[in-house]
Amino acid sequence: MSRIVDTIRFGPQDDDGMQPEERERRTGNPDLGVVSYFHIRDYHKVERVVEELASLGVTRLRTSVSWHDFVNEGGREWYDWLLPKLTDRFDVTPCVLYTPTHLGILPKTSSPPRDPDDFAAFVDQLLTTYGGFFSHVELWNEPNNFIEWDWTVDPEWKIFADMIAGAAAAARRHEVRTVLGGMSPMDPNWLHLMFNRGAMADIDVLGIHGFPGTWEAVWDGWDAQVNRPQEVLDAHGSPAQIWITECGFSTWHHDEFRMLTELVEVVEAPVARVYWYSAEDLAPERATLDGFHADERAYHFGLFTNEGRPKLAARVWAEQGFDEVRRFAKLGQPRIELHQVRPTLITGGAGFVGTNLADRIARDKKPVVVLDNLSRPGTERNLRWLIDTHGSLIIPMIGDMRDRFAIRRALREADEVVHLAAQVAVTSSRDDPVHDFDVNLRGTFNLLEEMRRLEAAPPILFTSTNKVYGDLDDVKLTEHVARYEPEDEVIAASGIGEDHPLAFCSPYGSSKGAADQYVLDYARSFGFRSAVFRMSCVYGPHQLGTEDQGWVAHFLIHAIRGLPITVYGDGKQVRDILFVDDLVDAVRRLLSESRTLMDGRAFNIGGGPANTVSLVEVLRAIERIHGAAPEVSFAAWRPGDQRYYVSNTSRFEAATGWQATVKAEAGLTRLHRWLIEHADRPLAVVPAVTGGTDSAG
């Protein structure tokens, strides 16, 4: 299997040309590189990774050259395309490895070759052909890892030492420096043996690997990991530098923040260069050297997913630079401030609604625990804004709803819980129903079970969705010039009530609907105080306007940027839009004044009949507010889209006295002003949106 290392760099532009006596031992802030491995003929991934690394300002790249692939059919053509492609954009260090099966003692790529000089001949051929592209060449990868080099066939390491010595001498003739493939784990005794076997005479750089928090069961820090091989180099009088040629963290357990903190840790290592593994997650249809999904951790090391979505570290890095990555790593450090008032726990608290709610609660001097995995673009900026605005009143807990232990930590001392964390898009639920199920239903179940462990569970408000009522095809509609209207006079006057039959439609509707029912049932079964808000389309400040986070803001952002908008359906579908301040008022009223209502009841919450709009009406309002008409095209309806949904909020209004106060056009004007004022924020843009997506996330 071919692999590549993608490189990111800091500090001096280049150390090429340094004499051994000029090589100072680095004490932190090394050149930083990234590892990414490409399979033969994976042209699309190469193009994507090149752009991903460019977005991070990457200038160095470590990649693999498979000896096995090169000498087999199509291999030479692949590298004739790949290596110029990469070296045109990056300073590339190729890692040369994998024995052709017909040349090995055993017919496998981890086998020693029958003749160690064959490897030297291949390195000579490679550098003769492409040597002008490289300042360094790496010889093998993880040679003390059985699946990379089968030492049982070479128990005294004679073949390996002869192979490396010959290849290093060949590289020296080409005036290309050599890197000895990274040890994993670091083994001083093995390194002593390499010196004794004569393998180190022409080695300029020693590679080491480390994966704290993922592979290493015991970890004593990068200083210790570097000091041990440095002592061996010193004992043998070697001037070789040490590079960390692979390090990384797997997000298989949904912990993108830990990846960010491990990245920050390694850039303080006392070495000259670091390569972070890797640019992208391994595609799930691929097998690792261990086997197909033999260890799930191996599939989640990327700064980006295998589809190109940036994870938290890459997002912060690309948008604000690596200094902000360093600062951001400190946000998750435990806070020692003690508050006399028990906090509100908001899951998904760095999202759109969560940010507005946390801001309002903290303004009243009540502490807020913000539990969020920060996987959604913009949440990291929202969290920093909350902390900068409210200081110690915001208690960040960076964790995932799929991690019961993260929930357990966040629940400590919670006075009340507002559960907002969710996968919020119908479209995404169809693309990945498993993820939708895990986050929305299993995540909610995890929260309820962790609350059940407590001696006295706090009250919980769960934000559900109008999608629990399905596509509402049982509501007969009349088509007008710009909107649909119900034929039923009661529905036309009041909207859809809580007594309307549930009809889960789409994986999203099913996961949210099932979670909705669990929250209500735990009140009956276990005596919880719980309530559910089945929400219509919510909009307002801090809504970043992706397809996942709200079509209203999405329309406005596209209009502001002069980008086209695609409407699915005819645009006459009707929603009752609710300004986020009104939603926050409803949440606060329920939690502070009306906890007696939290007896397992559901309430429909939206703008109500007074704030109904169709999509085309919103587009016309945007033209009036913005002063220019957005470019609009229409596409086919999507399965499950509701042509009409308006919340009947009379149950909640009668019980609490709450009413929506911000009228639709006034709210649109306020959101437009906020977006203009915050135009420096990187706002996510996607090419299409439908009025049928959930907007409350």
Side-chain angles (χ1 to χ4, degrees), residues 119-384:
F119 184 64
F122 175 67
V123 170
D124 183 72
Q125 177 190 359
L126 185 73
L127 296 180
T128 298
T129 307
Y130 309 109
F133 294 157
F134 313 126
S135 61
H136 292 78
V137 61
E138 185 174 5
L139 306 177
W140 220 260
N141 184 69
E142 298 190 355
N144 57 341
N145 181 339
F146 174 78
I147 62 172
E148 298 276 1
W149 178 267
D150 186 350
W151 66 78
T152 64
V153 185
D154 182 27
E156 297 183 0
W157 295 92
K158 290 180 61 66
I159 299 174
F160 183 81
D162 289 347
M163 184 180 78
I164 295 301
R172 181 74 68 199
R173 291 192 294 273
H174 288 274
E175 299 183 339
V176 174
R177 295 185 186 141
T178 54
V179 183
L180 179 60
M183 291 180 287
S184 185
M186 206 294 301
D187 183 351
N189 293 320
W190 180 86
L191 183 55
H192 275 297
L193 183 62
M194 290 301 100
F195 275 104
N196 294 337
R197 290 279 185 235
M200 301 296 293
D202 289 310
I203 295 297
D204 299 289
V205 177
L206 172 67
I208 62 173
H209 292 183
F211 300 88
T214 300
W215 301 131
E216 268 69 32
V218 177
W219 184 255
D220 52 2
W222 283 111
D223 283 357
Q225 295 296 310
V226 173
N227 286 340
R228 285 191 283 271
Q230 186 66 60
E231 289 173 359
V232 179
L233 294 176
D234 292 345
H236 290 274
S238 171
Q241 288 184 331
I242 296 176
W243 291 358
I244 300 170
T245 47
E246 264 187 44
C247 56
F249 180 81
S250 173
T251 60
W252 73 286
H253 206 50
H254 322 295
D255 191 349
E256 294 186 13
F257 183 71
R258 177 72 183 277
M259 169 183 278
L260 182 147
T261 59
E262 291 297 342
L263 178 58
V264 170
E265 283 290 321
V266 78
V267 299
E268 300 299 327
V271 296
R273 192 178 297 184
V274 168
Y275 288 97
W276 181 261
Y277 178 79
S278 64
E280 283 193 348
D281 287 343
L282 179 64
E285 66 272 12
R286 299 284 192 184
T288 68
L289 293 178
D290 287 313
F292 186 71
H293 288 268
D295 191 325
E296 194 60 29
R297 290 174 292 182
Y299 287 82
H300 303 277
F301 277 96
L303 289 165
F304 297 78
T305 68
N306 70 292
E307 296 173 339
R309 177 188 68 81
K311 298 181 187 177
L312 176 63
R315 237 175 31 240
V316 175
W317 190 350
E319 293 176 4
Q320 302 173 71
F322 202 82
D323 284 345
E324 180 61 21
V325 176
R326 294 176 191 268
R327 289 191 293 270
F328 201 85
K330 299 177 181 178
L331 291 184
Q333 294 176 353
R335 292 174 172 268
I336 61 173
E337 294 89 347
L338 298 177
H339 298 279
Q340 294 181 340
V341 179
R342 292 173 63 196
T344 298
L345 167 60
I346 306 176
T347 72
F352 155 49
V353 172
T355 299
N356 284 276
L357 178 60
D359 175 47
R360 183 81 66 85
I361 294 172
R363 272 193 264 157
D364 291 340
K365 305 305 179 185
K366 184 174 184 179
V368 183
V369 174
V370 173
L371 176 62
D372 203 298
N373 69 2
L374 303 181
S375 63
R376 187 176 299 167
T379 51
E380 68 281 357
R381 283 177 170 260
N382 288 343
L383 181 59
R384 178 166 289 287

Side-chain angles (χ1 to χ4, degrees), residues 418 461-466 512 516 520 531-536 578 582-591 601-605 652 656 658:
V418 182
L461 170 62
F462 173 63
T463 52
S464 185
T465 172
N466 60 60
K512 290 290 283 188
D516 173 320
L520 297 180
V532 167
F533 277 1
R534 293 173 182 159
M535 300 197 302
S536 189
L578 180 67
D582 283 329
L583 173 61
V584 169
D585 286 341
V587 173
R588 298 298 307 282
R589 187 163 300 201
L590 180 69
L591 292 175
R601 275 191 250 189
F603 300 98
N604 288 353
I605 299 292
F652 191 71
T656 65
W658 172 89

Side-chain angles (χ1 to χ4, degrees), residues 55 61-62 97 99 158 163 210 236 321 401 405 491 590-591:
S55 75
L61 178 69
R62 174 183 174 254
L97 73 168
T99 304
K158 290 180 61 66
M163 184 180 78
H236 290 274
M401 296 305 297
F405 298 102
I491 293 178
L590 180 69
L591 292 175

Side-chain angles (χ1 to χ4, degrees), residues 401-469:
M401 296 305 297
R402 290 163 287 186
D403 181 353
R404 288 184 60 170
F405 298 102
I407 296 171
R408 185 174 299 177
R409 291 190 295 272
L411 272 171
R412 291 173 184 165
E413 304 302 321
D415 176 51
E416 57 201 3
V417 178
V418 182
H419 180 28
L420 302 173
Q423 189 295 113
V424 297
V426 174
T427 49
S428 297
S429 77
R430 290 197 177 96
D431 293 338
D432 193 349
V434 173
H435 176 261
D436 179 82
F437 172 89
D438 279 346
V439 173
N440 290 352
L441 184 51
R442 190 182 300 279
T444 301
F445 186 77
N446 286 343
L447 174 60
L448 293 171
E449 281 295 282
E450 286 302 315
M451 290 175 62
R452 194 161 70 90
R453 293 180 67 256
L454 301 174
E455 185 175 344
I460 177 172
L461 170 62
F462 173 63
T463 52
S464 185
T465 172
N466 60 60
K467 300 301 179 291
V468 300
Y469 298 116

Side-chain angles (χ1 to χ4, degrees), residues 546-615:
T546 67
E547 197 167 45
D548 284 357
Q549 285 187 305
W551 61 274
V552 175
H554 178 86
F555 280 8
L556 278 166
I557 290 169
H558 273 229
I560 291 167
R561 292 189 168 183
L563 297 171
I565 296 169
T566 300
V567 172
Y568 290 92
D570 55 19
K572 298 180 182 181
Q573 52 265 54
V574 170
R575 299 290 183 271
D576 60 322
I577 59 176
L578 180 67
F579 197 72
V580 69
D581 287 0
D582 283 329
L583 173 61
V584 169
D585 286 341
V587 173
R588 298 298 307 282
R589 187 163 300 201
L590 180 69
L591 292 175
S592 62
E593 301 175 14
S594 306
R595 284 191 177 183
T596 56
L597 298 177
M598 302 183 72
D599 55 359
R601 275 191 250 189
F603 300 98
N604 288 353
I605 299 292
N611 290 287
T612 63
V613 293
S614 70
L615 272 63

